[in-house]
Amino acid sequence: MRKAIFLASLFAAGVGAAHAQSSVTLYGRITAGLDFVNNVATTDGRTGNQYRFASNQYGPSWWGLMGTEDLGGGLHAEFKLESSFSSGTGQVGQSLFNRFAYVGLNKDGWGSLWAGQVMSLTDETGYYLDPLGEQSIGIANFAKGRAYGSRSNTVTYNSPKWAGFSFRLQNGFGNEAGNFRGNRQFSGSATYALGGFNAYGVYEELRDPNGKFANPWVSSREYMIGGTYQFSALKFYAGYQALVSSGSDTVASTTNPVAATRSEQEWFGASYQVGPALGIGAGWFHGNANHGGGSGNLAVIGTTYNLSKRTFVYATFGAMFNGKNSNWPVETADSLPLAGHNQQGGYFGMVHTF
């Protein structure tokens, strides 16, 4: 009982401090809808249709806290705590703050330095280069969701912008005794903006517990480059991505049954803002993995309609056209078809931000 009273007192004190600190912000969004996928492989070797609740196909739900403190002389302390969750079950991921959990310093004209868990630079770059905004149907599909999510135990530097150019560097420590490379992460990204043109590039390496690059979609080197061009309400997208593992270290696994060492994709697309409320996007993605990993083509179209500044409805539909040896799913790393079978799917729902 005394422990409960003590914890409640600490919580009340924290809430009071947060309430008095005007720089602390509570924010979030909730995404929910319905989803349909056909030609899903079943355990008896056949296929069936799948109807289900859609909690994160358009994008995850999340909530968070962020704040800054003015330290004087253009220097600011800042923090961010953010957690994704499923609107279908209310459950969070493997940890409470599974997207962001960092503290850092920001200096005017110098950029910012963060320490803690941060979303991956590949995730951010993919969002900007995907005409559908990196939903479960789109740029992440042929990468099997490799860029999704956060990178833990990181130190991240974010540069200021110089004449349209900026860059970011991120190093994630593996914390493996006697093996500095074990589970280590390193990435760098750069952007350049000139008028309606934006160019993006990112490199990331993810190592396995042994410090090896053993799987293109799990522990590998990633290269991605692309650009967008906006002309009035119309915006064009194009890009290229390669995932490369080491030939001598790659082994067959459930995510890589043919021991492929390279997976590539190219894409192009466009988005159009019809009016203040209605937006449309479409894209075409081609992917191919070596060593018999198979090829595929993905077509996707989606739309959003704003009901207010904080609420909109969405609908996205896609079709995956597989080669004879491949079984790429229409939604990223989920509900696989049989090898050589095509698959169609889509989802619709609502998003509210706060």
Side-chain angles (χ1 to χ4, degrees), residues 122 140-148 151 204-208 212-223 241-265 288-294 328:
T122 51
N141 206 293
F142 290 110
K144 298 186 179 182
R146 182 190 181 282
Y148 281 161
R151 303 293 182 249
E204 181 181 58
E205 56 182 49
L206 299 178
R207 296 178 182 270
D208 67 11
K212 306 294 186 181
F213 299 119
N215 187 318
W217 299 286
V218 180
S219 52
S220 61
R221 293 184 172 97
E222 176 177 356
Y223 307 85
Q241 178 192 58
L243 307 176
V244 184
S245 61
S246 171
S248 59
D249 298 322
T250 301
V251 295
S253 64
T254 55
T255 56
N256 186 16
V258 297
T261 60
R262 189 179 187 91
S263 179
E264 299 177 90
Q265 72 162 321
N288 180 71
N290 67 356
H291 294 180
W328 302 100

Side-chain angles (χ1 to χ4, degrees), residues 151-175:
R151 303 293 182 249
S152 57
N153 304 316
T154 65
V155 175
T156 305
Y157 172 71
N158 312 283
S159 81
K161 186 174 288 187
W162 300 291
F165 174 79
S166 62
F167 69 92
R168 303 182 69 194
L169 296 173
Q170 187 176 90
N171 185 80
F173 295 89
N175 295 345

Side-chain angles (χ1 to χ4, degrees), residues 145-338:
R146 182 190 181 282
Y148 281 161
S150 58
R151 303 293 182 249
S152 57
N153 304 316
T154 65
V155 175
T156 305
Y157 172 71
N158 312 283
S159 81
K161 186 174 288 187
W162 300 291
F165 174 79
S166 62
F167 69 92
R168 303 182 69 194
L169 296 173
Q170 187 176 90
N171 185 80
F173 295 89
N175 295 345
E176 295 285 340
N179 184 2
F180 179 73
R181 292 185 174 183
N183 284 321
R184 183 172 177 264
Q185 310 153 12
F186 175 78
S187 59
S189 66
T191 64
Y192 177 72
L194 179 64
F197 173 72
N198 288 272
Y200 303 89
V202 65
Y203 166 79
E204 181 181 58
E205 56 182 49
L206 299 178
R207 296 178 182 270
D208 67 11
N210 298 314
K212 306 294 186 181
F213 299 119
N215 187 318
W217 299 286
V218 180
S219 52
S220 61
R221 293 184 172 97
E222 176 177 356
Y223 307 85
M224 182 160 55
I225 189 171
T228 65
Y229 183 79
Q230 181 142 13
F231 179 76
S232 187
L234 182 63
K235 190 174 185 178
F236 297 98
Y237 303 75
Y240 167 80
Q241 178 192 58
L243 307 176
V244 184
S245 61
S246 171
S248 59
D249 298 322
T250 301
V251 295
S253 64
T254 55
T255 56
N256 186 16
V258 297
T261 60
R262 189 179 187 91
S263 179
E264 299 177 90
Q265 72 162 321
E266 311 86 30
W267 67 92
F268 63 88
S271 63
Y272 182 68
Q273 194 65 36
V274 180
L278 180 64
I280 300 173
W284 183 273
F285 303 80
H286 171 74
N288 180 71
N290 67 356
H291 294 180
S295 62
N297 290 282
L298 173 67
V300 57
I301 185 170
T303 183
T304 59
Y305 187 84
N306 296 320
L307 302 176
S308 71
K309 291 183 178 181
R310 294 181 176 272
T311 305
F312 66 89
V313 292
Y314 63 86
T316 302
F317 304 95
M320 175 64 75
F321 305 96
N322 276 306
K324 64 178 182 178
N325 296 324
S326 55
N327 67 333
W328 302 100
V330 71
E331 295 184 12
T332 300
D334 184 49
S335 301
L336 301 177
L338 294 174

Side-chain angles (χ1 to χ4, degrees), residues 74-76 78 104-114 156-162 167:
L75 183 65
H76 298 81
E78 56 189 11
L105 294 172
N106 187 317
K107 172 72 173 176
D108 294 346
W110 289 71
S112 59
L113 186 66
W114 302 339
T156 305
Y157 172 71
N158 312 283
S159 81
K161 186 174 288 187
W162 300 291
F167 69 92

